[in-house]
Amino acid sequence: IVVGIATVNRRRDFTFPSNVIAEKEKYPESGHSNNFIRFIEKELQPFIASKYGGKGLRTIIGQSLGGLLATEILFKKPELFQKYIIVSPSLWWNDGSLLTDTLILNNKLQHQIAVYIGVGKEGLTPGKHPHVMEVDANLLAEKLQADKTNQLRIFFDYLPAEDHATIAHQAIFNALRLLYPPKGKHN
């Protein structure tokens, strides 16, 4: 079952509150990802389970601000999905706070989780203190690997031939091959 979730306001639904004044001024509607995450957990997943069964593995795919949201869910509610495909995540949001927040998944993980992080040659991100998107994605992978839990598998994929506009197709293809290998083949 593949479920696409449309939103009318990505900045509102895919971002957590920012302490950066320029982001708050430029995007005053931003910072309500908690409501969107609650919708996924309390309404969408139960609906899918009741209507279609949905007892298999749950995977989230997010690119750009969607990748920021997928990362936030991994950090705050890792049990919602077993597989995370995070592509070109906008980790620059709130001056990169997800990269500096303390992360301890050891005590939170109740099942095996696989995380694919894909990024292209994307360069500087917006903001007064610009980040380099591929560096931030690599820092995320290192942060997750440093967590030292056996329940977490990390795949980092740097695709230098791709950029923010072209990365989605190749990264998702690579992620699905890594996270769902043919029967009998395991990474």
Side-chain angles (χ1 to χ4, degrees):
I1 300 170
V2 176
V3 177
I5 307 171
T7 177
V8 295
N9 190 326
R10 294 172 56 245
R11 294 238 185 244
R12 179 194 67 203
D13 294 336
F14 294 174
T15 61
F16 49 87
S18 177
N19 296 318
V20 176
I21 292 169
E23 289 173 355
K24 291 197 276 191
E25 289 174 353
K26 189 172 182 179
Y27 309 108
E29 73 285 356
S30 66
H32 297 283
S33 59
N34 59 328
N35 294 333
F36 200 70
I37 294 168
R38 188 178 317 110
F39 161 74
I40 291 170
E41 178 182 22
K42 304 289 185 192
E43 295 180 46
L44 183 62
Q45 286 183 342
F47 173 78
I48 293 167
S50 70
K51 183 121 174 127
Y52 301 104
K55 295 190 189 242
L57 295 173
R58 292 183 310 250
T59 302
I60 185 169
I61 301 172
Q63 188 219 359
S64 193
L65 285 176
L68 177 71
L69 177 72
T71 304
E72 181 184 4
I73 293 171
L74 174 63
F75 284 16
K76 296 178 179 176
K77 294 256 184 190
E79 70 279 0
L80 291 184
F81 298 94
Q82 291 78 37
K83 299 190 187 274
Y84 288 77
I85 299 175
I86 300 171
V87 180
S88 301
S90 295
L91 296 170
W92 53 266
W93 181 255
N94 193 32
D95 200 21
S97 66
L98 279 183
L99 293 172
T100 58
D101 285 351
T102 302
L103 170 66
I104 302 173
L105 289 174
N106 276 336
N107 299 330
K108 290 184 180 181
L109 297 184
Q110 299 166 1
H111 60 268
Q112 181 82 33
I113 289 181
V115 180
Y116 169 92
I117 301 166
V119 66
K121 188 161 184 60
E122 306 191 36
L124 293 178
T125 60
K128 185 177 180 182
H129 306 286
H131 293 250
V132 177
M133 190 167 274
E134 49 266 46
V135 171
D136 282 356
N138 191 52
L139 289 171
L140 173 62
E142 288 176 359
K143 180 178 187 141
L144 292 169
Q145 289 167 340
D147 195 53
K148 306 279 191 242
T149 178
N150 292 331
Q151 295 289 78
L152 191 60
R153 290 185 1 210
I154 310 299
F155 301 93
F156 180 75
D157 195 8
Y158 177 53
L159 303 165
E162 307 300 336
D163 61 29
H164 203 68
T166 65
I167 187 149
H169 293 95
Q170 187 62 54
I172 293 168
F173 177 80
N174 291 355
L176 292 173
R177 291 185 84 183
L178 284 168
L179 300 181
Y180 293 96
K183 294 203 186 294
K185 293 183 180 181
H186 297 285
N187 295 332

